[in-house]
């Protein structure tokens, strides 16, 4: 009987131990899950912080360096240079015409505002007028000067607009002009490459792999490789232009305006393909700036490759080409040297 009691007690103790172990396992699993969740949350936070740091350190300075345009506290010469082609559009002549067409402004008010804006453009071009720190931005600068010149009619310049859609418009006008200028430069480069190709259809040279002679080719074939690269670059610029060439004006702060604007008409007057479709996206969209930066980086990479070829071909070891003195420099103590500085500078700028 005593032995039976002991066995029952041992059985109960084992059950208690098993239950205790199970509770401990459950508690440990719970703590482990909490630990895993905490680690995952801190990992997400850390990754977000790293991404934010990358944006702050790398991307923002790139965008700032590219799009830093003279809108605040700038010298008259810088102001004139930027505003030369697009000031009339920025300050709203085309938009004013649309407001009058819609009956929001009278013909007299339209004529007064346009005359006032024209006089501002003329004074800026002549260097008689410059933006100063007393104005918050170019839009307040224009509006204040317009009111000073024509009175209360000048206050209606801002009708149906917000600074948000105006700044979005300014950026698109600026980037659109830059794309046109870049496209023209790439086109000239393609014309030059094509001329070299046509003149050297039977100019034979070695083709290289790993900087070692591999197969015979022609100079036309070699130049044709770069022609294709820059042709793609020009195509990318055209793609960006086509995507971004829609007018955000009329989107207001984010949700449009109650005025009966004709956005398609004002977009047509400013040379856009049409108005943007969503007001919230319109005031926030800067995709095309990143796209242009990417396209420009690719162009610079191709220019760097081309420049490296020129540097190598110009060396004494190759002697394929001789760069004109206008694009080279000599050495102060080694008269036999002729340094391909222009090509080296292009290579150096690529890293920026």
């Amino acid at each position: 009987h005593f032995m039976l009691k002991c066995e029952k007690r041992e059985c109960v103790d084992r059950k208690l131990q098993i239950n205790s172990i199970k509770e401990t396992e459950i508690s440990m699993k719970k703590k482990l899950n909490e630990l895993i969740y905490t680690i995952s949350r801190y990992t997400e936070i850390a990754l977000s912080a790293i991404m934010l740091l990358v944006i702050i350190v790398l991307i923002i300075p790139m965008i700032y360096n590219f799009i830093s345009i003279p809108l605040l506290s700038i010298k008259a010469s810088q102001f004139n240079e930027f505003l030369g082609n697009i000031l009339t559009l920025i300050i709203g002549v085309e938009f004013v015409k649309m407001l009058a067409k819609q009956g929001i402004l009278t013909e007299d008010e339209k004529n007064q505002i346009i005359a006032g804006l024209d006089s501002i453009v003329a004074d800026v071009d002549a260097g008689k007028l410059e933006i100063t720190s007393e104005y918050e931005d170019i839009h307040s600068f224009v509006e204040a000067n317009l009111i000073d010149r024509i009175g209360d009619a000048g206050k209606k310049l801002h009708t149906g607009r917000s600074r948000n859609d105006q700044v979005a418009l300014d950026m698109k006008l600026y980037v659109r002009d830059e794309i046109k200028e870049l496209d023209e430069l790439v086109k000239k480069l393609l014309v030059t490459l094509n001329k070299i190709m046509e003149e050297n259809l039977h100019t034979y040279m070695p083709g290289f792999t790993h900087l070692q002679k591999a197969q015979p080719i022609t100079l036309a074939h070699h130049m044709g490789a770069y022609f294709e690269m820059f042709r793609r670059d020009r195509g990318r610029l055209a793609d960006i232009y086509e995507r971004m060439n829609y007018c955000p004006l009329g989107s207001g702060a984010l949700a449009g305006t109650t005025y009966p604007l004709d956005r398609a008409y004002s977009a047509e007057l400013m040379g856009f393909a049409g108005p943007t479709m969503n007001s919230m996206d319109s005031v926030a969209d800067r995709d095309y700036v990143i796209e242009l930066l990417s396209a420009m980086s690719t162009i610079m990479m191709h220019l760097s490759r081309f420049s490296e070829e020129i540097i190598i071909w110009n060396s004494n070891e190759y002697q394929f080409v001789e760069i004109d003195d206008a694009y080279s420099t000599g050495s102060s103590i080694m008269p036999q040297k002729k340094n391909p500085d222009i090509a080296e500078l292009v290579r150096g700028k690529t890293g920026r």
Side-chain angles (χ1 to χ4, degrees), residues 329-339:
T329 59
S331 169
S332 59
I333 61 172
M334 295 172 284
Q336 81 279 8
K337 290 193 65 182
K338 192 173 185 180
N339 302 321

Side-chain angles (χ1 to χ4, degrees), residues 25 46 94 99 142 164 181-182 207 302 324 335:
E25 287 179 351
E94 310 302 339
L99 291 176
V142 170
N164 290 8
E181 185 175 347
L182 287 168
H302 291 155
D324 191 271

Side-chain angles (χ1 to χ4, degrees), residues 132-193:
T132 63
S133 57
E134 67 179 291
Y135 303 105
E136 187 174 351
D137 56 24
I138 187 174
H139 305 290
S140 56
F141 157 78
V142 170
E143 190 172 0
N145 277 276
L146 184 63
I147 293 171
D148 288 343
R149 294 174 188 229
I150 67 171
D152 288 342
K155 297 177 181 178
K156 296 189 176 184
L157 174 66
H158 199 63
T159 303
R161 297 193 299 181
S162 163
R163 191 154 42 188
N164 290 8
D165 59 352
Q166 289 183 84
V167 170
L169 172 67
D170 297 350
M171 183 59 71
K172 283 203 169 185
L173 291 170
Y174 174 75
V175 172
R176 194 171 68 173
D177 275 8
E178 290 299 302
I179 291 175
K180 288 179 180 177
E181 185 175 347
L182 287 168
D183 178 72
E184 188 60 32
L185 292 172
V186 176
K187 180 182 177 182
K188 289 180 180 178
L189 179 55
L190 287 170
V191 170
T192 302
L193 287 173

